[in-house]
Amino acid sequence: VVGEGSAKSRLKSSGCQGVDLGNWGALTRRIVPNQTYLNDNPTTIFKGDVPLCECELWDLAVPCMVNTVEYLQWDYGPSWWFPVPSSKGTGWRIIDRIQTRNARGVGWKRFDQKVFAMLQGLDEDGDNSVSMSEFVTAVMRHEDLNLNWVKYQIQNNPCIMIDNARRHFNGMLGLFKPYFDGNIQAARQFMGYDPNATETESMRYVSTTPFKYLPRHMYNLEENEECAAAVEAEFRKQGLFEK
């Protein structure tokens, strides 16, 4: 759809400069901004005006968001940078599975089952939790991840970017197990979700923070020395900084 108003003015003023391509920055395959995008033709996504730019991917022209990181955090959650096949709406919308109204049906379950199977594969000791060791092993083995990007995050955002991804995996494991067993009440209890709460959240992805992810107590809300040391120690143990 052709955008109007604020989206159009924002895109024209930015001229597609400074596009945040964080989703591709985590991978070895890179996306390159195409500055020849026609600024008079922005698009809108969701209810708000979200400008897009035209980018080049493997010589193909594709749309890309001006700020992909915020969108990916909103839609896929803190583990957005780790490629998870078939993941769909595993960020803030994950509570849709256990809401009393507008609950996601069978259509989404087939995606969730594949995600659950992948996470169980990472949980090598079968304790329904991805340990730091198991998570680092998965990162080191993944051929599509740019380990230089991972090193940078370990040195700058170890708790918010790296460890929160692991914690998000554990949040999905804790939710999907009772969910697939048909125990919706247990799934709600694990997530700390109150179906009677009056608080409503905007469907816009902007201003996403760890406070929005459930269960809230599982996530790092800021960087801290203990978490940072644990993340770096495990990656060093598994040889990342020797590469």
Side-chain angles (χ1 to χ4, degrees):
V1 272
V2 176
E4 297 178 355
S6 58
K8 188 172 183 178
S9 61
R10 283 203 303 272
L11 189 56
K12 289 184 70 174
S13 63
S14 69
C16 288
Q17 297 290 333
V19 176
D20 187 343
L21 300 174
N23 59 326
W24 293 96
L27 306 179
T28 54
R29 297 167 180 169
R30 300 303 301 274
I31 210 169
V32 181
N34 180 353
Q35 299 301 330
T36 63
Y37 178 70
L38 300 177
N39 291 336
D40 289 333
N41 295 286
T43 60
T44 58
I45 295 178
F46 303 131
K47 295 178 181 178
D49 291 332
V50 182
L52 298 187
C53 284
E54 182 183 82
C55 298
E56 293 177 358
L57 175 62
W58 303 308
D59 298 323
L60 297 175
V62 296
C64 60
M65 292 185 179
V66 169
N67 191 334
T68 55
V69 174
E70 283 195 25
Y71 166 73
L72 289 164
Q73 289 176 334
W74 175 85
D75 199 20
Y76 295 99
S79 64
W80 61 268
W81 56 269
F82 189 104
V84 179
S86 300
S87 60
K88 189 176 181 69
T90 50
W92 179 243
R93 291 186 295 167
I94 201 166
I95 62 170
D96 291 354
R97 280 76 161 171
I98 54 177
Q99 286 181 330
T100 53
R101 295 180 297 175
N102 303 318
R104 300 291 178 183
V106 177
W108 276 42
K109 263 192 175 178
R110 60 190 176 91
F111 294 106
D112 295 340
Q113 286 168 339
K114 291 179 180 179
V115 173
F116 187 46
M118 188 281 288
L119 294 175
Q120 287 181 312
L122 300 186
D123 177 21
E124 295 181 353
D125 60 9
D127 66 349
N128 204 43
S129 176
V130 177
S131 67
M132 184 69 76
S133 175
E134 291 168 335
F135 180 73
V136 172
T137 297
V139 171
M140 296 288 288
R141 287 177 178 173
H142 207 296
E143 295 180 355
D144 285 337
L145 281 172
N146 181 352
L147 294 182
N148 287 326
W149 181 90
V150 173
K151 287 180 186 177
Y152 176 85
Q153 298 302 333
I154 292 170
Q155 294 166 341
N156 293 275
N157 307 292
C159 305
I160 298 297
M161 189 67 71
I162 302 298
D163 191 44
N164 271 357
R166 179 186 70 86
R167 290 166 179 266
H168 185 225
F169 282 175
N170 286 331
M172 288 191 286
L173 276 171
L175 167 67
F176 286 147
K177 190 175 189 305
Y179 173 66
F180 288 130
D181 288 342
N183 192 342
I184 302 301
Q185 184 59 37
R188 288 175 178 162
Q189 186 174 7
F190 172 81
M191 294 293 280
Y193 171 72
D194 180 3
N196 298 314
T198 58
E199 178 185 1
T200 59
E201 292 288 341
S202 169
M203 285 297 288
R204 290 191 59 152
Y205 69 83
V206 295
S207 302
T208 298
T209 70
F211 289 98
K212 285 191 173 183
Y213 300 122
L214 297 175
R216 290 182 175 87
H217 69 274
M218 288 187 65
Y219 294 101
N220 300 299
L221 303 182
E222 60 185 7
E223 299 295 336
N224 66 83
E225 292 183 2
E226 182 179 356
C227 160
V231 170
E232 182 174 346
E234 188 58 40
F235 274 100
R236 286 192 178 279
K237 179 180 178 181
Q238 298 200 31
L240 174 64
F241 289 89
E242 297 174 5
K243 295 182 179 294

